[in-house]
Amino acid sequence: MLATQHRLPRSNPEEQGISSKAIHSFIEHIEQQQLELHSFMFLRHGHVVAEGWWAPYAANHPHALFSLSKSFTSTAIGFAVEERRFSLEDPVISFFPEEATPEVEEHFEKLQVRHLLTMSTGHDANNAPNIRGSKDGNWVKAYFGSTLPHTPGTQFLYSSDATYMLSAIVQKRTGQTLIDYLQPRLFEPLGIAGVAWETCPLGINTGGWGLSLTTEDVAKFGQLYLRQGQWNGRPIIPAAWIQQATSRHISNGQSADSDWTQGYGYQFWRCRHDAYRGDGAFGQFVIVMPEQDAVIAITSGLSDMQAVLNQVWDLLLPACREGAMQADVKEQQALTAKLSTLAIPPHTSICRSELSTTVSGALYIFNDNEMQWDSIQFEFEEDAAEITWHEQGAKKQLTCGIGAWLAGEITDQEIRQPIAASGTWQDDATFVITCRLLATPFCQKIVCHFHKDTLTIDLSRGIGTDLKPFLQLKATKNKG
């Protein structure tokens, strides 16, 4: 069935016991604190009561989920255990006899599938960078080359290599990649289409990161868990697994004010207020609030993830009331207007430079540089600028709106990515471009300084407005 046939039902907030004014206040507080959200979807009693995307991000764009991917990997483990493919008590080394030297077997004999799920493997350092850097591309072998200074199950250490091993176990026992295994069991029943998940050099899905989905797909996943594995009256995941996966299995701190110290389940975080969540770097969330019968899905490009959760607890959680509320047409209209006009501001035009005419069509030749850019050329029009450059002989192009976002695509490492770019003349000789990679929280800033026959380009990159300079390029106008 097509994903459009599985679209979540919509409702206004008051019908589901929430005031439109409270949701409006949440959005305003988020923006006042300059927390860069890319999308927001709020479900109550199974209905979407509010949803919005900050332009240039849009509903149809899948967004990188980073470690929120882990909760989907956990779900695959739940299916496999239910199908008796293996048990949580099975030793991890037992799945990989080709790596089971006597030394490895002795070292890893106590490490079980359960310990991978609860991030209690016995490591004292994050080994994910080490396994990803293995020269032969065999991440499983690299994992068994690590040391376990602690007894598995005794302490918490968050590390994506544990989740990668869960993905490798699923593939070993089922003969399918994680994404293929989940396709008929999870993605198809929920109407989730076009799923993409990164793989390691040996073709194993990364598990702990690398999954990309739309905001509504993330919300569906949260709603499935809220309903104890039921979807449209049909059991998808055993309720017993839902209960286990979202329960506290290990302590991860003592702070009463942090949502990262409330305990950890099977690749799910426990939260304050008896809620739980899956989350990923830079603010990717699915938050499940059983007591309020609510789910929140968020994608972002920010560093302070706790600040977003604080706003959820302070403004949205207490707004959930029992029973329907009297319709507030004025507040509903104000909320609808706010959600329909959400936007990350593009560059606004400060001035019109005469250089837009004199440098258009000129070819600039770069000095030797680590980006391996050969040349660049600009074509300025009234409402757009086209930038063409050659990188290792390959032609690449970017078109940006002048004072507006302009959507397009760019090729990075042979992968086409959706982008939006905006530019403006900062002064008579400086043209500034911001390019947002719409499937990710990342963006780049390109500042072009024109001076007589020379061009200097300052490149910055990062998330949201937190951009760090990383390279300066110099070029000279070709007079030939």
Side-chain angles (χ1 to χ4, degrees):
M1 299 179 71
L2 297 175
T4 53
Q5 295 175 282
H6 293 265
R7 191 170 183 263
L8 290 164
R10 265 61 177 175
S11 175
N12 69 60
E14 280 73 17
E15 286 179 352
Q16 306 305 324
I18 305 173
S19 77
S20 296
K21 186 175 181 179
I23 301 174
H24 197 165
S25 179
F26 169 80
I27 298 296
E28 289 185 332
H29 277 76
I30 288 291
E31 294 187 332
Q32 288 166 6
Q33 292 189 28
Q34 296 183 327
L35 298 172
E36 187 181 291
L37 267 58
H38 296 163
S39 69
F40 164 74
M41 185 173 282
F42 190 7
L43 277 64
R44 184 91 197 281
H45 304 323
H47 293 76
V48 178
V49 297
E51 59 188 313
W53 286 260
W54 279 257
Y57 300 89
N60 62 327
H61 290 150
H63 200 284
L65 301 184
F66 295 88
S67 286
L68 178 49
S69 308
K70 292 177 170 65
S71 300
F72 289 82
T73 301
S74 169
T75 303
I77 298 296
F79 285 124
V81 169
E82 175 69 12
E83 295 169 5
R84 302 185 184 279
R85 308 269 187 160
F86 51 82
S87 77
L88 300 188
E89 289 71 38
D90 285 348
V92 174
I93 189 61
S94 68
F95 298 95
F96 306 99
E98 67 277 12
E99 307 298 344
T101 65
E103 294 80 7
V104 169
E105 284 186 311
E106 181 181 2
H107 190 52
F108 281 87
E109 63 179 348
K110 295 181 180 179
L111 181 64
Q112 301 175 354
V113 175
R114 184 183 304 277
H115 302 136
L116 298 176
L117 280 168
T118 57
M119 297 292 184
S120 60
T121 59
H123 290 96
D124 61 2
N126 179 4
N127 282 295
N130 294 331
I131 70 168
R132 294 178 73 173
S134 59
K135 293 182 180 180
D136 62 359
N138 188 336
W139 293 7
V140 170
K141 181 179 180 180
Y143 185 83
F144 288 120
S146 63
T147 58
L148 301 180
H150 308 288
T151 302
T154 59
Q155 67 181 47
F156 176 83
L157 179 77
Y158 187 82
S159 182
S160 292
D161 55 339
T163 320
Y164 168 77
M165 291 302 293
L166 292 172
S167 175
I169 287 170
V170 169
Q171 185 160 333
K172 194 75 170 182
R173 279 297 167 87
T174 68
Q176 294 180 290
T177 61
L178 196 65
I179 192 171
D180 288 341
Y181 181 68
L182 284 174
Q183 191 66 32
R185 294 166 175 82
L186 179 69
F187 298 134
E188 287 180 6
L190 270 60
I192 297 175
V195 183
W197 206 324
E198 293 177 27
T199 62
C200 76
L202 297 184
I204 300 169
N205 287 127
T206 48
W209 68 95
L211 177 63
S212 294
L213 295 175
T214 67
T215 309
E216 184 157 355
D217 291 339
V218 173
K220 291 176 184 178
F221 180 70
Q223 183 65 22
L224 177 67
Y225 267 74
L226 180 65
R227 288 288 175 264
Q228 296 294 299
Q230 296 277 326
W231 190 257
N232 293 333
R234 172 190 168 193
I236 302 296
I237 308 171
W241 177 261
I242 302 283
Q243 181 62 36
Q244 290 180 55
T246 61
S247 295
R248 175 187 174 120
H249 288 278
I250 191 166
S251 173
N252 57 1
Q254 302 295 326
S255 174
D257 298 324
S258 171
D259 283 290
W260 277 264
T261 59
Q262 306 304 309
Y264 196 74
Y266 292 166
Q267 310 282 296
F268 283 89
W269 298 88
R270 293 296 305 176
C271 302
R272 293 175 290 167
H273 307 288
D274 203 29
Y276 61 87
R277 74 185 187 281
D279 72 29
F282 313 119
Q284 324 313 317
F285 292 104
V286 59
I287 305 164
V288 181
M289 300 184 286
E291 291 185 5
Q292 290 73 32
D293 194 27
V295 172
I296 295 172
I298 290 172
T299 61
S300 310
L302 51 83
S303 55
D304 190 354
M305 294 170 63
Q306 183 65 66
V308 174
L309 291 172
N310 290 344
Q311 294 302 313
V312 170
W313 309 140
D314 291 347
L315 298 173
L316 296 182
L317 184 145
C320 297
R321 309 290 178 83
E322 291 295 330
M325 301 172 63
Q326 183 175 355
D328 190 330
V329 176
K330 184 177 180 181
E331 289 294 344
Q332 288 177 6
Q333 290 175 341
L335 175 61
T336 299
K338 179 66 175 177
L339 292 172
S340 65
T341 57
L342 296 173
I344 295 170
H347 285 296
T348 55
S349 295
I350 298 175
C351 66
R352 302 296 297 182
S353 173
E354 293 181 1
L355 282 179
S356 62
T357 300
T358 58
V359 304
S360 281
L363 181 67
Y364 290 85
I365 308 300
F366 285 109
N367 299 346
D368 290 342
N369 61 86
E370 61 184 81
M371 297 285 287
Q372 295 185 297
W373 285 11
D374 305 316
S375 63
I376 193 167
Q377 199 167 19
F378 299 81
E379 293 287 349
F380 290 98
E381 298 179 1
E382 183 70 21
D383 57 358
E386 184 174 85
I387 300 93
T388 304
W389 71 99
H390 286 81
E391 183 177 328
Q392 293 183 283
K395 181 180 178 180
K396 297 192 175 184
Q397 286 185 311
L398 170 68
T399 305
C400 67
I402 304 295
W405 292 112
L406 188 61
E409 286 187 333
I410 196 167
T411 301
D412 183 24
Q413 296 180 349
E414 299 184 359
I415 299 174
R416 296 197 67 80
Q417 296 190 43
I419 62 166
S422 173
T424 193
W425 285 98
Q426 184 172 288
D427 56 45
D428 286 342
T430 307
F431 188 71
V432 181
I433 306 162
T434 294
C435 179
R436 289 185 169 268
L437 303 174
L438 298 178
T440 79
F442 302 124
C443 58
Q444 295 186 351
K445 188 174 183 179
I446 307 166
V447 182
C448 305
H449 307 277
F450 296 92
H451 180 68
K452 295 183 179 179
D453 293 334
T454 63
L455 169 65
T456 301
I457 297 180
D458 291 314
L459 300 174
S460 302
R461 59 188 176 191
I463 57 167
T465 57
D466 185 17
L467 302 178
K468 309 295 184 187
F470 76 96
L471 189 62
Q472 184 179 82
L473 305 176
K474 292 184 179 295
T476 304
K477 184 184 290 187
N478 182 15
K479 296 182 179 180

